[in-house]
Amino acid sequence: MDPEAGSVTRESRLKIYRTTLCLAYQSFGVVYGDLSTSPIYVYKSTFSGRLSLHEEDDEILGVLSLVFWTLTLIPLCKYIIFVLGADDNGEGGTFALYSLLCRRAKLGLLSASDAPDDDISAYNSGLPRKETVASSILKEFFDKYQSSRIVLLLLVLLGTSMVIGDGILTPSMSVLSAVNGIKIKATGLHDNYTVLIACVILVGLFELQHVGTRRVGFLFAPILLAWLFCISVVGIYNIIHWNPRVISALSPYYVYNFFKKTGKDGWSSLGGIVLCVTGLSITPQDKPILFKVILIRIMNIPSFNLSGAEAMFADLGHFSQLSIRIAFTVVVYPCLILAYMGEAAYLSKHKVDLQRSFYKSIPEVVFWPVFIIATLATVVGSQAIISATFSIISQCRALKCFPRVRVIHTSNHIHGQIYIPEVNWILMVLCLAVVAGYRDTDMIGNAYGLAVITVMLVTTCLMFLVIVLVWKRNILGAVAFVIVFGSLEMSYFSACLAKVHKGGWFPLIFSLIVLSTMCIWHYGTLKKHSYESHNKVSLDMLLSMGPNLGINRVPGIGLIYSNVTTGVPPMFTHFVTNFPAFHRILIFVTIRSLTVPKVPLNQRYVISRIGPAEFRLFQCVVRYGYKDERKDSHDFESRLIETVAEFLQSGSDDSEVRALGMEFGLNQQQSSPPVDVAALGLENGISSRASKRTVRFRGVGCSKELEDLTEAKESGLAYMMGSTCILASETSSYLKKFVINIVYGFLRQNCRHPATALGIPHTSLIEVGMVYRV
């Protein structure tokens, strides 16, 4: 054996170990913010209802046993063992599951069928598996009943809307619970003061969002590690000092005994117990901490994001399966179990403190340090879900399921760190309203639990389809998965529904509003695209109109934005018939959002020629994944024109060519001087290139086209897009008229203008007004 080879192997292994441990360290402040702070309010919420009538040791140990088995079955077994394997090219979350079903099982409604997406590497990853009887039957069912696909999309959007609702409840619940600890020492403090302090902390938290997560998040991991250390040490002390017998509560017998003695009252308490697995966030977006830049620069790790049990799956693309599993099983899981056991040990001897057990169980000598760390930890958990809400709304916007909002990228180095001003201030107002309106963590907890368990149920349902349709496993395994985890979650869900009148109505109403908004926006957008597809004009018809209209070509490049991938959009036809002139070089640009996390740069642009070469007409389809960052207009136009230049240099007569960053080296005898693509003003077009590149070509025809492209670029660019008014047809139902004319019209008028969202300069914009009757 070669000693050098063995040394290299050992170094590689050591590097992998170091990287994994670094990622595991990062995850403490990124993934587990909410999950780790749940001991503050779980026992209080559980014993807040009729269960307060049962204050014997058996009930206290029964609650501990329920918490233990809930943490063991859901985060440890369901997510760590099973769900982490359902990644979409290394990405996780609800959109990852739906993306797998859209692509691998063809069940989606978000991606257009005419989009040229077959070449996307992310679409074709994974080894094909042989169809099973169950997968064939399910596919036939979804193919036969289009309504089943709509239900599937509604299920995903329901989970999404619940996560957005979680973005309101998590900060309210966490911060108010932590601040209430002051009452342990200041017993005469009025509730108004605790509410005021919580509101001040929340206002400060939301005010900090605009500076970016890199600046507010660098203390996340140390704070969470300090918090986990504190609650585990306090837990060990309480177990030893008050009641070592609580260890026996790990037996499932105590669960049976709990329900035997409490009956319906025990069932209703499940809405509080479910809070031990809170912190569920489906969106995989970034949450940086101090060492992220080092990891990104040195190890080429993309970015990070955060939340709790569901976030272990959501953040999979930013860490790794091994690092997530190590962090949870080695540190988070045992620390939480010790914390809950210690609190139960204290309660068994101090039943009078059931409503303030967490802070009462802290030894006097360390009370204030633990209280300060607890408050900081709740802010960390709140910061997590706020940024997660930004991320998921950005994803919904990219997939045309949410109105256009302003997305600010707060980091030039780390993709995915975003800030949405409109959403931030709406969340702040709603959080303040929840804190001031409820004033009680018990009622907030009822609402919080319902939002959390709904998201978990959505994941379980989607996992059933993934196991059968994507993994092609035996349907008995998928049924067993649903029975084991779904039945547990349904029991929690039913208990939470029973408390709808006690605060649980809030996430239902809010989620219904958000869900309706997303569905109406998606429906109106589909109707708009459908109108444009059915009313597009063929190029032959447009050119045949040329002599009659006297169409002239003016200098410059015209970028025509539309949703039509083939043919001429009705907006452009409407423009030409009223103003018969357009630019010397015309590029029809269609931007597609795909149900994949990222589209590689070399597969992002699809260039095709429209008509003969002398027409100088091109079609460009730009593909983005739901996690891709949209560049500004200057960067976009530079890349686009460079792509067209490379397409022309390729000398290909094919009807369609994918081109971006391709190297061309033709060795024929030079018949014309080389053209420098950088002369087109593209030297800064692709940031990864250290210097501008001279691309040499051969061929007189190609040279002429490139010269025209250079001249047109120097003459300037103009952007054209439609300013459409969508109205329901006269024969439509009253419901459709209300949805399209009023609700969708209101959303369209009050969201960001498409030109602003794309970063198009106002001075170069041409808007063509049209009325679409759908």
Side-chain angles (χ1 to χ4, degrees):
M1 179 179 176
D2 188 357
E4 293 185 359
S7 177
V8 171
T9 302
R10 285 192 297 272
E11 290 180 0
S12 300
R13 289 178 179 175
L14 288 175
K15 184 177 180 180
I16 293 174
Y17 295 153
R18 287 195 299 267
T19 303
T20 302
L21 292 177
C22 285
L23 291 176
Y25 170 77
Q26 303 295 324
S27 67
F28 292 123
V30 176
V31 177
Y32 303 108
D34 295 339
L35 189 65
S36 299
T37 56
S38 56
I40 297 177
Y41 44 76
V42 166
Y43 280 104
K44 181 180 184 298
S45 297
T46 302
F47 285 97
S48 62
R50 293 184 58 84
L51 196 62
S52 60
L53 303 176
H54 306 269
E55 298 181 353
E56 301 300 324
D57 285 357
D58 288 339
E59 284 78 9
I60 293 173
L61 296 181
V63 170
L64 172 61
S65 187
L66 276 168
V67 170
F68 169 76
W69 286 107
T70 300
L71 282 171
T72 301
L73 289 176
I74 295 180
L76 186 62
C77 294
K78 176 183 174 181
Y79 286 95
I80 292 294
I81 296 177
F82 293 105
V83 180
L84 281 181
D87 66 298
D88 177 23
N89 300 286
E91 301 291 340
T94 297
F95 272 97
L97 296 176
Y98 186 66
S99 175
L100 284 174
L101 295 172
C102 288
R103 203 170 60 256
R104 304 280 286 278
K106 310 299 182 185
L107 302 185
L109 295 173
L110 292 181
S111 55
S113 59
D114 60 343
D117 303 330
D118 295 336
D119 65 316
I120 300 295
S121 59
Y123 268 65
N124 303 309
S125 60
L127 296 175
R129 297 181 181 271
K130 185 179 179 180
E131 289 284 347
T132 63
V133 176
S135 63
S136 300
I137 292 175
L138 274 177
K139 283 187 177 180
E140 290 178 4
F141 175 80
F142 278 99
D143 290 338
K144 183 177 180 180
Y145 300 100
Q146 182 71 10
S147 58
S148 61
R149 299 179 182 231
I150 299 175
V151 171
L152 179 62
L153 177 60
L154 289 176
L155 186 67
V156 174
L157 295 181
L158 174 63
T160 300
S161 61
M162 282 293 183
V163 172
I164 298 174
D166 197 15
I168 300 172
L169 297 173
T170 296
S172 306
M173 180 76 173
S174 300
V175 174
L176 187 58
S177 298
V179 172
N180 279 337
I182 299 178
K183 292 183 178 180
I184 302 300
K185 297 300 180 182
T187 55
L189 189 66
H190 195 275
D191 288 344
N192 290 341
Y193 292 103
T194 58
V195 170
L196 179 61
I197 294 172
C199 289
V200 170
I201 293 175
L202 288 171
V203 170
L205 177 63
F206 283 101
E207 176 63 30
L208 285 176
Q209 297 303 311
H210 74 280
V211 303
T213 54
R214 181 177 62 84
R215 298 179 182 177
V216 300
F218 70 94
L219 288 177
F220 282 7
I223 289 175
L224 260 295
L225 283 173
W227 167 251
L228 290 171
F229 174 77
C230 287
I231 61 176
S232 60
V233 171
V234 171
I236 293 173
Y237 168 81
N238 287 330
I239 293 170
I240 297 173
H241 184 72
W242 296 113
N243 188 2
R245 194 174 67 88
V246 296
I247 298 176
S248 62
L250 302 185
S251 169
Y253 166 77
Y254 284 86
V255 176
Y256 164 77
N257 192 49
F258 172 79
F259 286 113
K260 180 181 178 181
K261 291 195 171 185
T262 59
K264 185 178 179 181
D265 295 340
W267 168 78
S268 65
S269 69
L270 292 178
I273 294 173
V274 75
L275 298 179
C276 70
V277 289
T278 55
L280 307 185
S281 172
I282 307 303
T283 73
Q285 288 297 336
D286 308 27
K287 248 328 147 213
I289 48 184
L290 178 63
F291 302 98
K292 278 188 180 180
V293 175
I294 299 175
L295 286 173
I296 291 164
R297 297 285 181 82
I298 297 177
M299 301 179 186
N300 196 29
I301 297 172
S303 54
F304 306 90
N305 57 343
L306 60 142
S307 244
E310 182 87 22
M312 292 187 294
F313 175 47
D315 291 322
L316 180 59
H318 306 304
F319 296 98
S320 65
Q321 291 186 18
L322 183 58
S323 64
I324 293 290
R325 284 167 172 155
I326 288 175
F328 183 78
T329 56
V330 176
V331 180
V332 177
Y333 177 73
C335 287
L336 289 176
I337 297 300
L338 288 173
Y340 286 116
M341 289 176 63
E343 193 171 346
Y346 175 85
L347 279 176
S348 65
K349 304 299 182 182
H350 305 82
K351 298 180 178 63
V352 70
D353 294 330
L354 277 172
Q355 292 304 307
R356 45 187 178 175
S357 58
F358 177 79
Y359 285 109
K360 278 289 188 179
S361 66
I362 300 174
E364 184 75 20
V365 67
V366 296
F367 176 84
W368 287 111
V370 174
F371 171 77
I372 294 172
I373 295 176
T375 305
L376 293 175
T378 57
V379 172
V380 169
S382 302
Q383 173 65 34
I385 194 63
I386 292 171
S387 296
T389 304
F390 293 159
S391 300
I392 200 167
I393 288 178
S394 177
Q395 293 178 12
C396 293
R397 180 188 63 92
L399 295 176
K400 296 181 175 60
C401 290
F402 200 86
R404 292 179 297 271
V405 290
R406 184 187 183 192
V407 178
I408 300 174
H409 293 269
T410 58
S411 174
N412 294 325
H413 306 289
I414 304 174
H415 296 296
Q417 296 183 15
I418 61 174
Y419 167 66
I420 305 178
E422 302 98 320
V423 175
N424 182 68
W425 302 123
I426 291 175
L427 285 179
M428 186 191 75
V429 171
L430 292 176
C431 282
L432 296 178
V434 168
V435 171
Y438 280 108
R439 307 172 68 88
D440 182 11
T441 56
D442 295 335
M443 295 189 68
I444 301 178
N446 294 335
Y448 193 18
L450 183 60
V452 166
I453 200 64
T454 302
V455 175
M456 296 167 65
L457 276 171
V458 169
T459 299
T460 300
C461 295
L462 293 178
M463 277 298 298
F464 172 81
L465 296 176
V466 169
I467 293 172
V468 176
L469 296 175
V470 179
W471 292 352
K472 306 294 196 317
R473 302 300 186 187
N474 193 305
I475 193 172
L476 295 179
V479 171
F481 180 89
V482 172
I483 290 176
V484 172
F485 300 111
S487 58
L488 176 63
E489 292 162 356
M490 279 301 299
S491 62
Y492 286 130
F493 182 74
S494 62
C496 291
L497 282 181
K499 296 185 177 181
V500 168
H501 63 288
K502 296 181 180 179
W505 57 269
F506 178 81
L508 291 179
I509 298 298
F510 182 80
S511 298
L512 180 62
I513 295 173
V514 175
L515 179 63
S516 301
T517 300
M518 292 192 292
C519 290
I520 291 174
W521 182 263
H522 183 63
Y523 175 75
T525 304
L526 286 181
K527 286 297 182 181
K528 175 185 175 183
H529 293 177
S530 176
Y531 179 92
E532 292 178 344
S533 298
H534 286 88
N535 291 274
K536 63 184 179 182
V537 179
S538 66
L539 180 66
D540 294 337
M541 180 179 297
L542 179 65
L543 295 177
S544 65
M545 296 165 58
N548 299 326
L549 296 176
I551 295 178
N552 299 313
R553 305 296 289 270
V554 298
I557 298 176
L559 301 182
I560 315 300
Y561 284 84
S562 74
N563 298 302
V564 177
T565 55
T566 57
V568 178
M571 168 267 300
F572 183 71
T573 306
H574 179 69
F575 172 79
V576 171
T577 54
N578 290 276
F579 190 80
F582 52 83
H583 295 84
R584 189 174 303 278
I585 292 181
L586 214 59
I587 304 174
F588 293 92
V589 180
T590 302
I591 297 178
R592 305 223 68 90
S593 296
L594 309 181
T595 52
V596 291
K598 288 181 177 294
V599 176
L601 281 177
N602 62 345
Q603 299 175 11
R604 178 161 296 168
Y605 294 82
V606 180
I607 300 292
S608 58
R609 190 192 298 276
I610 301 178
E614 58 268 18
F615 289 169
R616 304 292 193 265
L617 303 178
F618 302 93
Q619 174 76 52
C620 178
V621 179
V622 188
R623 286 102 48 102
Y624 287 101
Y626 56 77
K627 286 190 64 180
D628 279 323
E629 180 181 355
R630 310 298 172 91
K631 298 295 184 180
D632 57 30
S633 62
H634 176 73
D635 182 82
F636 173 79
E637 71 186 32
S638 298
R639 291 187 178 187
L640 176 61
I641 298 173
E642 182 175 357
T643 303
V644 175
E646 292 178 344
F647 168 76
L648 295 176
Q649 292 178 79
S650 68
S652 174
D653 293 330
D654 296 339
S655 60
E656 185 178 276
V657 173
R658 276 85 170 167
L660 177 62
M662 298 186 296
E663 301 292 339
F664 298 98
L666 305 179
N667 299 319
Q668 293 93 333
Q669 183 177 358
Q670 181 173 345
S671 59
S672 59
V675 172
D676 189 351
V677 175
L680 298 174
L682 308 175
E683 57 268 19
N684 296 320
I686 297 183
S687 58
S688 62
R689 299 179 183 179
S691 60
K692 63 183 180 181
R693 173 170 55 87
T694 299
V695 182
R696 297 181 179 274
F697 65 90
R698 309 291 183 265
V700 176
C702 181
S703 174
K704 176 59 176 167
E705 287 188 278
L706 278 173
E707 289 176 0
D708 289 348
L709 184 63
T710 305
E711 294 177 1
K713 169 64 178 176
E714 294 174 351
S715 299
L717 274 78
Y719 303 82
M720 182 183 297
M721 60 172 46
S723 178
T724 56
C725 178
I726 314 297
L727 297 176
S729 61
E730 296 294 338
T731 58
S732 299
S733 63
Y734 289 108
L735 178 61
K736 183 177 180 180
K737 289 180 179 179
F738 173 77
V739 167
I740 295 295
N741 297 354
I742 299 178
V743 182
Y744 181 77
F746 174 81
L747 294 174
R748 187 180 58 82
Q749 292 174 5
N750 289 276
C751 70
R752 295 193 83 205
H753 193 277
T756 306
L758 294 171
I760 296 175
H762 182 72
T763 55
S764 304
L765 176 64
I766 302 173
E767 290 190 272
V768 181
M770 283 193 71
V771 176
Y772 289 177
R773 290 284 181 178
V774 297

